[in-house]
Amino acid sequence: MGARLALSRKSFQPHCRINVKFMDDVGIAEGAVDTGGPKREFFALVLDYLHDSGLFVGPEGSKFLTYSSSAMEKDDFFYAGMIIAMSLVHGGPAPRFLSRTLFQALIESPEMTTVTTDEVPDLKLRENLQKVLSGEVPEDLEDIIDMAGSRCILATPENAQQMALDTAHWYIFGRTRSAFERFKDGLKTLGIYSAMLENKEYFLDVMCHQNNPTTAEQIKEAFRPVLHPPGSNKRSTENLILCLWENFIFDTEGVGKIDEHSGTSLEKILFFSTGLKSFPPLGLKPTPTLCFLHDPEDSGELSKFPKANTCTNQLFLPTIHTTFQNFKCHMVFGVCASAGFGLP
């Protein structure tokens, strides 16, 4: 609601620098100045919200637009397209959850886009359309066929197939056409829609799900260690911690997307460090760095847990641990116990 309110202001300019402040449950803003981290986290959270909202339906990573009169009244489909466009331009994450069929319709037109009955997200309707393919028209499908204008005499298998496909097409694009047009208008913000038309293959990867999850090697390459001179005591400690760090991220990758025992993942590590759950299309700016917690805390002791500055993409590793198990245990706790913006 707060995002929609800001976007709907007449004074709002999507091309201007964005400043984000998060509020706690009693309306008090967190004290950090937004130099990038809160903004990235904001876009990540809003895109997660859109993915699970009632504006989109369908399986994970392959969403279609749905229709909602209340959402149309509030112009939510326009704002959904607008926030996606702004995220891409302002260094936020890519959506990567639109279906390829929806993407094709955006690039060409709904009329030039083929829809299969398997793509219909409503299970009951999908089952009934499968029955139409066999020459049967269930009674509870009559009204939808009439609304779709797809009724025909089922004299041949080809007639049945055409009626099923026409009905599926109407359900995906016909009944949602006004939502589709407003969503497309939102994507025109900051020239994103024009860029989509000119760079179809690139934006296919940006808008639609791709089976290329974040890897440990990507994280290793992305975070540049800030090291003391060779031969110093601190450099010796940093070399050990770097070894533990690399073992930690590759160990996390090895147990799958989410470690069943610890609950951590490479996406959570990246989110903890940068405010993003995946690498953005425009890359991370500033360049992420690995730093080391050599100095004691206010208590006089070295920190056992990692810290992060998502504004500057800095991850601070504890230097007190000498074994992998201790390092991993405290890294997992620090990452998983600090959901949201701020230091653990």
Side-chain angles (χ1 to χ4, degrees), residues 199-282:
N199 303 276
K200 300 177 184 179
E201 290 301 319
Y202 174 79
F203 276 93
L204 179 66
D205 177 69
V206 168
M207 296 293 187
C208 304
H209 174 72
Q210 305 293 330
N211 190 24
N212 51 355
T214 301
T215 66
E217 189 64 35
Q218 284 178 313
I219 291 181
K220 176 187 173 183
E221 292 299 321
F223 284 83
R224 177 177 56 82
V226 179
L227 302 169
H228 281 80
S232 65
N233 290 336
K234 288 184 177 180
R235 179 60 175 269
S236 298
T237 300
E238 290 163 356
N239 288 339
L240 170 62
I241 299 305
L242 272 179
C243 180
L244 297 178
W245 158 252
E246 291 182 10
N247 275 284
F248 171 62
I249 58 176
F250 280 98
D251 184 69
T252 301
E253 179 184 52
V255 296
K257 186 174 182 181
I258 295 182
D259 187 334
E260 295 179 357
H261 301 291
S262 69
T264 193
S265 66
L266 294 177
E267 287 75 16
K268 286 186 177 182
I269 295 169
L270 187 63
F271 187 64
F272 173 82
S273 308
T274 67
L276 293 175
K277 296 180 181 179
S278 61
F279 288 98
L282 295 181

Coordinates of all heavy atoms in Angstrom, one line a residue, residues 199-282:
N199 N 15.2 -5.9 -27.7 CA 16.1 -6.9 -27.2 C 15.4 -8.1 -26.6 O 15.4 -8.3 -25.4 CB 17.0 -6.3 -26.1 CG 17.8 -5.1 -26.6 OD1 18.9 -5.2 -27.2 ND2 17.3 -3.9 -26.4
K200 N 14.7 -8.8 -27.5 CA 13.7 -9.8 -27.0 C 14.4 -10.9 -26.2 O 14.0 -11.4 -25.2 CB 13.0 -10.4 -28.2 CG 12.2 -9.4 -29.0 CD 11.5 -10.0 -30.2 CE 10.8 -8.9 -31.0 NZ 10.1 -9.5 -32.2
E201 N 15.5 -11.4 -26.8 CA 16.2 -12.6 -26.1 C 16.8 -12.2 -24.8 O 16.7 -13.0 -23.8 CB 17.4 -13.1 -27.0 CG 16.9 -13.7 -28.3 CD 16.0 -14.9 -28.0 OE1 16.3 -15.7 -27.1 OE2 15.0 -15.1 -28.7
Y202 N 17.3 -11.0 -24.6 CA 17.8 -10.5 -23.4 C 16.7 -10.4 -22.3 O 16.8 -10.9 -21.2 CB 18.5 -9.2 -23.5 CG 19.0 -8.6 -22.2 CD1 20.1 -9.0 -21.6 CD2 18.2 -7.6 -21.6 CE1 20.5 -8.5 -20.3 CE2 18.6 -7.1 -20.3 CZ 19.8 -7.5 -19.7 OH 20.2 -7.0 -18.5
F203 N 15.6 -9.8 -22.7 CA 14.5 -9.6 -21.8 C 13.7 -10.9 -21.5 O 13.0 -11.0 -20.5 CB 13.6 -8.5 -22.2 CG 14.1 -7.2 -21.8 CD1 14.8 -6.4 -22.7 CD2 13.8 -6.6 -20.6 CE1 15.3 -5.2 -22.3 CE2 14.2 -5.4 -20.2 CZ 15.0 -4.6 -21.1
L204 N 13.9 -11.9 -22.3 CA 13.3 -13.2 -22.0 C 13.9 -13.8 -20.8 O 13.2 -14.3 -19.9 CB 13.5 -14.2 -23.2 CG 12.9 -15.6 -23.0 CD1 11.4 -15.6 -22.9 CD2 13.4 -16.5 -24.2
D205 N 15.2 -13.6 -20.6 CA 15.9 -14.1 -19.5 C 15.6 -13.2 -18.2 O 15.6 -13.7 -17.1 CB 17.4 -14.1 -19.7 CG 18.2 -14.5 -18.5 OD1 18.2 -15.6 -18.1 OD2 18.9 -13.6 -17.9
V206 N 15.3 -11.9 -18.5 CA 15.0 -11.0 -17.4 C 13.6 -11.2 -16.8 O 13.4 -11.2 -15.6 CB 15.2 -9.6 -17.9 CG1 14.6 -8.6 -16.9 CG2 16.6 -9.3 -18.1
M207 N 12.6 -11.5 -17.7 CA 11.2 -11.5 -17.3 C 10.7 -12.9 -17.0 O 9.8 -13.1 -16.2 CB 10.3 -10.9 -18.5 CG 10.6 -9.5 -18.7 SD 10.0 -8.5 -17.3 CE 10.2 -6.8 -18.0
C208 N 11.3 -13.9 -17.6 CA 10.8 -15.3 -17.5 C 11.8 -16.1 -16.7 O 13.0 -15.9 -16.6 CB 10.5 -15.9 -18.8 SG 9.4 -15.0 -19.8
H209 N 11.3 -17.2 -16.1 CA 12.1 -18.1 -15.2 C 13.1 -18.8 -16.1 O 12.8 -19.3 -17.2 CB 11.2 -19.1 -14.5 CG 12.0 -20.1 -13.8 ND1 12.6 -19.9 -12.6 CD2 12.2 -21.5 -14.1 CE1 13.3 -20.9 -12.2 NE2 13.0 -21.9 -13.0
Q210 N 14.3 -18.8 -15.6 CA 15.4 -19.6 -16.2 C 16.0 -20.5 -15.2 O 16.1 -20.1 -14.0 CB 16.5 -18.6 -16.7 CG 16.0 -17.6 -17.7 CD 15.5 -18.1 -19.0 OE1 15.9 -19.1 -19.5 NE2 14.5 -17.5 -19.6
N211 N 16.4 -21.7 -15.6 CA 16.9 -22.6 -14.6 C 18.4 -22.4 -14.4 O 19.3 -23.2 -14.7 CB 16.7 -24.1 -15.1 CG 17.1 -25.1 -14.1 OD1 17.0 -24.8 -12.9 ND2 17.4 -26.3 -14.5
N212 N 18.7 -21.2 -13.8 CA 20.1 -20.8 -13.6 C 20.2 -20.2 -12.2 O 20.3 -18.9 -12.1 CB 20.6 -19.9 -14.7 CG 19.7 -18.7 -14.9 OD1 18.6 -18.6 -14.4 ND2 20.2 -17.8 -15.8
P213 N 20.1 -20.9 -11.1 CA 20.1 -20.4 -9.8 C 21.5 -19.8 -9.5 O 22.5 -20.1 -10.1 CB 19.8 -21.6 -8.9 CG 20.2 -22.8 -9.7 CD 19.9 -22.4 -11.1
T214 N 21.5 -19.0 -8.4 CA 22.8 -18.4 -8.0 C 23.7 -19.6 -7.6 O 23.3 -20.5 -6.9 CB 22.5 -17.5 -6.8 OG1 21.6 -16.5 -7.2 CG2 23.8 -16.9 -6.3
T215 N 25.0 -19.4 -8.0 CA 26.0 -20.4 -7.6 C 27.0 -19.9 -6.7 O 27.2 -18.7 -6.6 CB 26.7 -20.9 -8.9 OG1 27.5 -19.9 -9.5 CG2 25.7 -21.4 -9.9
A216 N 27.7 -20.8 -6.0 CA 28.8 -20.4 -5.1 C 29.9 -19.7 -5.9 O 30.5 -18.8 -5.4 CB 29.3 -21.6 -4.4
E217 N 30.2 -20.2 -7.1 CA 31.2 -19.5 -7.9 C 30.9 -18.1 -8.2 O 31.8 -17.2 -8.2 CB 31.4 -20.4 -9.2 CG 32.7 -19.9 -10.0 CD 34.0 -20.2 -9.2 OE1 34.1 -21.2 -8.5 OE2 34.9 -19.3 -9.4
Q218 N 29.6 -17.8 -8.5 CA 29.2 -16.4 -8.8 C 29.4 -15.6 -7.5 O 29.9 -14.4 -7.7 CB 27.7 -16.4 -9.1 CG 27.4 -16.9 -10.5 CD 25.9 -16.9 -10.8 OE1 25.1 -17.4 -10.0 NE2 25.5 -16.3 -12.0
I219 N 29.1 -16.1 -6.4 CA 29.3 -15.3 -5.1 C 30.7 -15.1 -4.9 O 31.2 -14.0 -4.5 CB 28.6 -15.9 -4.0 CG1 27.0 -15.9 -4.2 CG2 29.0 -15.3 -2.6 CD1 26.2 -16.5 -3.0
K220 N 31.5 -16.1 -5.0 CA 33.0 -16.0 -4.8 C 33.6 -14.9 -5.7 O 34.4 -14.1 -5.3 CB 33.6 -17.4 -5.1 CG 35.2 -17.3 -5.0 CD 35.8 -18.7 -5.4 CE 37.3 -18.6 -5.5 NZ 37.9 -19.8 -5.9
E221 N 33.2 -15.0 -7.0 CA 33.7 -14.0 -8.0 C 33.2 -12.6 -7.7 O 33.9 -11.6 -8.0 CB 33.4 -14.4 -9.4 CG 34.1 -15.7 -9.8 CD 35.6 -15.6 -9.9 OE1 36.1 -14.5 -10.2 OE2 36.3 -16.5 -9.5
A222 N 32.0 -12.5 -7.2 CA 31.4 -11.1 -7.1 C 32.0 -10.4 -5.9 O 32.1 -9.1 -6.0 CB 29.9 -11.3 -6.9
F223 N 32.3 -11.1 -4.8 CA 32.8 -10.4 -3.6 C 34.3 -10.3 -3.6 O 35.0 -11.3 -3.5 CB 32.3 -11.1 -2.4 CG 30.8 -10.8 -2.1 CD1 29.8 -11.5 -2.7 CD2 30.5 -9.8 -1.2 CE1 28.5 -11.3 -2.4 CE2 29.1 -9.6 -0.9 CZ 28.2 -10.3 -1.6
R224 N 34.8 -9.1 -3.7 CA 36.3 -8.9 -3.7 C 36.8 -8.7 -2.3 O 36.4 -7.8 -1.6 CB 36.6 -7.7 -4.6 CG 38.1 -7.3 -4.6 CD 38.3 -6.1 -5.5 NE 37.5 -5.0 -5.1 CZ 37.8 -4.1 -4.2 NH1 39.0 -4.3 -3.5 NH2 37.0 -3.1 -3.9
P225 N 37.7 -9.6 -1.9 CA 38.3 -9.4 -0.5 C 39.2 -8.2 -0.4 O 40.0 -7.9 -1.2 CB 39.0 -10.7 -0.3 CG 39.4 -11.2 -1.7 CD 38.3 -10.8 -2.6
V226 N 39.0 -7.5 0.8 CA 39.9 -6.4 1.1 C 40.9 -6.9 2.1 O 40.5 -7.2 3.3 CB 39.0 -5.2 1.7 CG1 39.9 -4.1 2.0 CG2 38.0 -4.8 0.7
L227 N 42.1 -7.1 1.7 CA 43.1 -7.8 2.5 C 44.2 -6.9 2.9 O 44.6 -5.9 2.3 CB 43.7 -8.9 1.6 CG 42.8 -10.0 1.1 CD1 43.5 -10.9 0.1 CD2 42.2 -10.8 2.2
H228 N 44.8 -7.2 4.1 CA 46.0 -6.5 4.6 C 47.2 -7.0 3.8 O 47.2 -8.0 3.1 CB 46.2 -6.8 6.1 CG 45.2 -5.9 6.9 ND1 43.9 -6.2 7.1 CD2 45.5 -4.7 7.6 CE1 43.3 -5.3 7.9 NE2 44.3 -4.4 8.2
P229 N 48.4 -6.3 3.9 CA 49.6 -6.7 3.2 C 50.0 -8.2 3.5 O 49.9 -8.6 4.7 CB 50.6 -5.7 3.6 CG 49.8 -4.5 4.1 CD 48.6 -5.1 4.7
P230 N 50.6 -8.9 2.5 CA 51.1 -10.2 2.8 C 52.2 -10.2 3.9 O 53.0 -9.3 4.0 CB 51.7 -10.6 1.4 CG 51.0 -9.8 0.4 CD 50.7 -8.5 1.1
G231 N 52.1 -11.2 4.7 CA 53.1 -11.3 5.8 C 52.7 -10.8 7.1 O 53.3 -11.1 8.1
S232 N 51.6 -10.0 7.1 CA 51.1 -9.4 8.4 C 50.3 -10.5 9.1 O 49.8 -11.4 8.5 CB 50.3 -8.2 8.1 OG 49.1 -8.5 7.4
N233 N 50.1 -10.3 10.4 CA 49.3 -11.2 11.2 C 47.9 -11.2 10.8 O 47.2 -12.2 10.7 CB 49.4 -10.8 12.7 CG 50.8 -11.1 13.3 OD1 51.5 -12.0 12.8 ND2 51.1 -10.4 14.4
K234 N 47.4 -10.0 10.4 CA 46.0 -9.9 10.0 C 45.8 -10.6 8.7 O 44.7 -11.2 8.4 CB 45.6 -8.4 9.9 CG 45.4 -7.8 11.2 CD 44.9 -6.3 11.1 CE 44.6 -5.7 12.5 NZ 44.1 -4.3 12.4
R235 N 46.8 -10.5 7.8 CA 46.7 -11.2 6.5 C 46.6 -12.7 6.7 O 45.9 -13.4 6.0 CB 47.8 -10.8 5.6 CG 47.8 -11.5 4.2 CD 46.5 -11.2 3.4 NE 46.6 -11.7 2.1 CZ 47.1 -11.1 1.0 NH1 47.5 -9.8 1.2 NH2 47.1 -11.6 -0.1
S236 N 47.4 -13.3 7.6 CA 47.4 -14.7 7.9 C 46.0 -15.1 8.4 O 45.4 -16.2 7.9 CB 48.4 -15.1 9.0 OG 49.7 -14.8 8.5
T237 N 45.4 -14.3 9.2 CA 44.0 -14.6 9.7 C 43.0 -14.5 8.5 O 42.1 -15.4 8.4 CB 43.6 -13.6 10.8 OG1 44.5 -13.7 11.9 CG2 42.2 -13.8 11.3
E238 N 43.2 -13.5 7.7 CA 42.3 -13.3 6.6 C 42.4 -14.5 5.6 O 41.3 -14.9 5.0 CB 42.6 -12.0 5.9 CG 42.2 -10.8 6.7 CD 42.9 -9.5 6.3 OE1 43.7 -9.5 5.3 OE2 42.6 -8.4 6.8
N239 N 43.6 -15.0 5.4 CA 43.7 -16.2 4.5 C 42.9 -17.4 5.0 O 42.3 -18.1 4.2 CB 45.2 -16.5 4.3 CG 45.9 -15.5 3.5 OD1 45.3 -14.7 2.7 ND2 47.3 -15.4 3.6
L240 N 43.0 -17.6 6.3 CA 42.2 -18.7 6.9 C 40.7 -18.5 6.8 O 40.0 -19.4 6.4 CB 42.6 -18.8 8.4 CG 41.7 -19.8 9.2 CD1 41.8 -21.2 8.7 CD2 42.1 -19.7 10.7
I241 N 40.3 -17.2 7.1 CA 38.8 -16.9 7.0 C 38.3 -17.0 5.6 O 37.2 -17.5 5.3 CB 38.6 -15.5 7.6 CG1 39.0 -15.5 9.1 CG2 37.1 -15.2 7.5 CD1 38.3 -16.6 9.9
L242 N 39.2 -16.6 4.6 CA 38.8 -16.8 3.2 C 38.6 -18.2 2.8 O 37.6 -18.6 2.1 CB 39.8 -16.1 2.3 CG 39.7 -14.7 2.0 CD1 40.9 -14.2 1.1 CD2 38.4 -14.4 1.3
C243 N 39.4 -19.1 3.4 CA 39.3 -20.5 3.1 C 38.0 -21.0 3.7 O 37.3 -21.8 3.1 CB 40.5 -21.2 3.7 SG 40.5 -23.0 3.4
L244 N 37.7 -20.6 5.0 CA 36.5 -21.0 5.6 C 35.3 -20.5 4.9 O 34.2 -21.2 4.7 CB 36.5 -20.6 7.1 CG 37.5 -21.1 8.0 CD1 37.4 -20.5 9.4 CD2 37.5 -22.6 8.1
W245 N 35.3 -19.3 4.4 CA 34.3 -18.6 3.7 C 33.9 -19.4 2.4 O 32.8 -19.7 2.1 CB 34.6 -17.2 3.3 CG 33.9 -16.6 2.2 CD1 34.4 -16.2 1.0 CD2 32.5 -16.1 2.2 NE1 33.4 -15.7 0.2 CE2 32.2 -15.6 0.9 CE3 31.5 -16.2 3.1 CZ2 31.0 -15.1 0.5 CZ3 30.2 -15.7 2.7 CH2 30.0 -15.2 1.4
E246 N 35.0 -19.7 1.6 CA 34.8 -20.4 0.3 C 34.2 -21.8 0.6 O 33.3 -22.3 -0.1 CB 36.1 -20.5 -0.5 CG 36.5 -19.1 -1.0 CD 37.7 -19.2 -1.8 OE1 38.2 -20.3 -2.2 OE2 38.3 -18.1 -2.1
N247 N 34.7 -22.5 1.6 CA 34.1 -23.8 2.0 C 32.7 -23.6 2.4 O 31.8 -24.5 2.1 CB 34.9 -24.4 3.1 CG 36.1 -25.2 2.6 OD1 36.0 -26.3 2.1 ND2 37.3 -24.6 2.7
F248 N 32.3 -22.6 3.1 CA 31.0 -22.3 3.6 C 30.0 -22.2 2.4 O 28.9 -22.8 2.3 CB 30.9 -21.1 4.5 CG 29.6 -20.6 4.8 CD1 28.7 -21.5 5.5 CD2 29.1 -19.4 4.5 CE1 27.4 -21.0 5.9 CE2 27.9 -18.9 4.8 CZ 27.0 -19.8 5.5
I249 N 30.3 -21.3 1.4 CA 29.4 -21.1 0.3 C 29.3 -22.3 -0.6 O 28.2 -22.6 -1.1 CB 29.8 -19.8 -0.5 CG1 31.2 -19.9 -1.1 CG2 29.6 -18.6 0.3 CD1 31.6 -18.7 -2.0
F250 N 30.4 -23.0 -0.8 CA 30.3 -24.2 -1.6 C 29.6 -25.3 -0.9 O 28.9 -26.2 -1.5 CB 31.7 -24.7 -2.1 CG 32.2 -23.9 -3.3 CD1 33.1 -22.8 -3.1 CD2 31.8 -24.2 -4.6 CE1 33.6 -22.1 -4.1 CE2 32.3 -23.4 -5.6 CZ 33.2 -22.4 -5.4
D251 N 29.7 -25.4 0.4 CA 29.0 -26.4 1.2 C 27.5 -26.0 1.2 O 26.7 -27.0 1.0 CB 29.5 -26.3 2.7 CG 28.8 -27.4 3.5 OD1 29.1 -28.6 3.3 OD2 28.0 -27.0 4.4
T252 N 27.2 -24.8 1.2 CA 25.7 -24.4 1.1 C 25.2 -24.7 -0.2 O 24.0 -25.2 -0.3 CB 25.6 -22.8 1.4 OG1 26.1 -22.5 2.6 CG2 24.2 -22.4 1.3
E253 N 25.9 -24.5 -1.3 CA 25.5 -24.9 -2.6 C 25.3 -26.4 -2.7 O 24.3 -26.9 -3.3 CB 26.5 -24.4 -3.7 CG 26.1 -24.7 -5.1 CD 27.1 -24.3 -6.1 OE1 28.3 -24.7 -5.9 OE2 26.8 -23.7 -7.1
G254 N 26.2 -27.1 -2.1 CA 26.2 -28.6 -2.2 C 25.0 -29.3 -1.6 O 24.5 -30.3 -2.0
V255 N 24.3 -28.6 -0.6 CA 23.2 -29.2 0.1 C 21.9 -28.9 -0.6 O 20.8 -29.3 -0.2 CB 23.1 -28.9 1.6 CG1 24.3 -29.4 2.3 CG2 23.0 -27.4 1.7
G256 N 21.9 -28.1 -1.7 CA 20.7 -27.7 -2.4 C 20.4 -26.2 -2.2 O 21.1 -25.5 -1.5
K257 N 19.2 -25.9 -2.7 CA 18.8 -24.5 -2.6 C 18.7 -24.0 -1.2 O 19.1 -22.9 -0.8 CB 17.5 -24.3 -3.3 CG 17.0 -22.8 -3.4 CD 15.8 -22.6 -4.2 CE 15.4 -21.2 -4.4 NZ 14.2 -21.0 -5.1
I258 N 18.1 -24.9 -0.3 CA 18.0 -24.5 1.1 C 18.5 -25.7 1.9 O 18.0 -26.8 1.7 CB 16.6 -24.2 1.5 CG1 16.1 -22.9 0.8 CG2 16.4 -24.0 3.0 CD1 14.8 -22.4 1.2
D259 N 19.4 -25.5 2.8 CA 19.9 -26.5 3.7 C 18.8 -26.9 4.7 O 18.3 -26.1 5.5 CB 21.1 -26.0 4.5 CG 21.8 -27.1 5.3 OD1 21.1 -28.0 5.7 OD2 23.0 -26.9 5.5
E260 N 18.3 -28.2 4.7 CA 17.3 -28.6 5.5 C 17.6 -28.5 7.0 O 16.7 -28.3 7.8 CB 16.9 -30.0 5.2 CG 16.3 -30.2 3.8 CD 16.0 -31.6 3.5 OE1 16.2 -32.5 4.4 OE2 15.4 -31.9 2.4
H261 N 18.9 -28.5 7.3 CA 19.3 -28.5 8.7 C 19.5 -27.1 9.2 O 19.1 -26.8 10.3 CB 20.6 -29.3 8.9 CG 20.4 -30.8 8.5 ND1 19.7 -31.6 9.2 CD2 20.9 -31.4 7.4 CE1 19.7 -32.8 8.6 NE2 20.5 -32.7 7.5
S262 N 20.0 -26.2 8.4 CA 20.3 -24.8 8.9 C 19.3 -23.8 8.4 O 19.2 -22.7 8.9 CB 21.7 -24.4 8.4 OG 21.7 -24.3 7.0
G263 N 18.6 -24.1 7.2 CA 17.7 -23.1 6.7 C 18.3 -22.0 5.9 O 17.6 -21.1 5.5
T264 N 19.6 -22.1 5.6 CA 20.3 -21.1 4.8 C 20.4 -21.5 3.4 O 20.1 -22.6 3.0 CB 21.7 -20.8 5.4 OG1 22.2 -19.6 4.8 CG2 22.7 -21.9 5.0
S265 N 20.7 -20.6 2.5 CA 20.9 -20.8 1.1 C 21.8 -19.7 0.5 O 22.0 -18.7 1.2 CB 19.5 -20.8 0.4 OG 18.9 -19.5 0.5
L266 N 22.2 -19.9 -0.7 CA 23.0 -18.9 -1.3 C 22.2 -17.6 -1.5 O 22.8 -16.5 -1.4 CB 23.6 -19.4 -2.7 CG 24.6 -20.6 -2.6 CD1 24.9 -21.0 -4.0 CD2 25.8 -20.2 -1.8
E267 N 20.9 -17.8 -1.8 CA 20.1 -16.6 -2.0 C 20.0 -15.8 -0.7 O 20.0 -14.5 -0.7 CB 18.7 -17.0 -2.5 CG 18.6 -17.5 -3.9 CD 19.2 -18.9 -4.1 OE1 19.4 -19.6 -3.1 OE2 19.5 -19.2 -5.3
K268 N 19.9 -16.5 0.4 CA 19.8 -15.8 1.7 C 21.1 -15.1 2.0 O 21.1 -14.0 2.6 CB 19.5 -16.8 2.8 CG 18.0 -17.2 2.8 CD 17.7 -18.0 4.0 CE 16.2 -18.4 4.1 NZ 15.9 -19.2 5.3
I269 N 22.2 -15.7 1.7 CA 23.5 -15.1 1.9 C 23.7 -13.8 1.1 O 24.1 -12.8 1.5 CB 24.7 -16.1 1.6 CG1 24.6 -17.3 2.6 CG2 26.0 -15.4 1.6 CD1 25.6 -18.4 2.2
L270 N 23.2 -13.9 -0.2 CA 23.3 -12.7 -1.1 C 22.4 -11.6 -0.6 O 22.7 -10.4 -0.6 CB 22.9 -13.1 -2.5 CG 23.1 -12.1 -3.6 CD1 24.6 -11.7 -3.7 CD2 22.6 -12.6 -4.9
F271 N 21.2 -12.0 -0.1 CA 20.2 -11.0 0.4 C 20.7 -10.3 1.6 O 20.6 -9.1 1.8 CB 18.9 -11.7 0.7 CG 17.8 -10.8 1.1 CD1 17.3 -9.9 0.2 CD2 17.2 -10.9 2.3 CE1 16.2 -9.0 0.5 CE2 16.2 -10.0 2.7 CZ 15.7 -9.1 1.8
F272 N 21.4 -11.1 2.5 CA 22.0 -10.6 3.7 C 23.0 -9.5 3.4 O 23.1 -8.5 4.1 CB 22.6 -11.7 4.6 CG 23.4 -11.3 5.8 CD1 22.7 -11.0 7.0 CD2 24.7 -11.2 5.7 CE1 23.5 -10.6 8.1 CE2 25.5 -10.8 6.8 CZ 24.8 -10.5 8.0
S273 N 23.8 -9.8 2.3 CA 24.9 -8.9 2.0 C 24.6 -7.7 1.1 O 25.2 -6.7 1.2 CB 26.0 -9.8 1.3 OG 26.3 -10.9 2.0
T274 N 23.5 -7.9 0.3 CA 23.2 -6.8 -0.7 C 21.8 -6.3 -0.7 O 21.5 -5.3 -1.4 CB 23.6 -7.4 -2.1 OG1 22.6 -8.4 -2.5 CG2 25.0 -7.9 -2.2
G275 N 20.9 -7.1 -0.1 CA 19.5 -6.7 -0.1 C 18.8 -7.3 -1.3 O 17.6 -7.0 -1.6
L276 N 19.5 -8.2 -2.1 CA 18.9 -8.8 -3.3 C 19.1 -10.3 -3.2 O 20.1 -10.8 -2.7 CB 19.7 -8.4 -4.6 CG 19.5 -6.9 -4.9 CD1 20.3 -6.6 -6.2 CD2 18.0 -6.6 -5.3
K277 N 18.1 -11.1 -3.7 CA 18.1 -12.5 -3.7 C 18.7 -13.1 -4.9 O 19.0 -14.3 -5.0 CB 16.7 -13.1 -3.4 CG 16.1 -12.6 -2.1 CD 14.7 -13.2 -1.9 CE 14.1 -12.8 -0.6 NZ 12.8 -13.2 -0.4
S278 N 19.0 -12.3 -5.9 CA 19.7 -12.8 -7.1 C 20.4 -11.6 -7.7 O 20.2 -10.4 -7.3 CB 18.6 -13.3 -8.2 OG 17.7 -12.3 -8.5
F279 N 21.4 -11.9 -8.6 CA 22.2 -10.8 -9.1 C 21.3 -10.0 -10.1 O 20.6 -10.6 -11.0 CB 23.4 -11.4 -9.9 CG 24.4 -11.9 -8.9 CD1 24.5 -13.2 -8.6 CD2 25.3 -11.0 -8.3 CE1 25.5 -13.7 -7.7 CE2 26.3 -11.5 -7.4 CZ 26.3 -12.8 -7.1
P280 N 21.3 -8.7 -10.0 CA 20.4 -7.9 -10.9 C 21.0 -7.8 -12.3 O 22.1 -8.0 -12.5 CB 20.5 -6.5 -10.2 CG 21.8 -6.4 -9.5 CD 22.1 -7.9 -9.1
P281 N 20.1 -7.5 -13.3 CA 20.5 -7.5 -14.7 C 21.6 -6.5 -14.9 O 22.5 -6.7 -15.8 CB 19.2 -7.1 -15.4 CG 18.1 -7.6 -14.5 CD 18.6 -7.4 -13.1
L282 N 21.6 -5.4 -14.2 CA 22.6 -4.3 -14.5 C 23.9 -4.5 -13.6 O 24.8 -3.7 -13.6 CB 22.1 -2.9 -14.2 CG 20.9 -2.5 -15.1 CD1 20.5 -1.1 -14.8 CD2 21.4 -2.6 -16.6

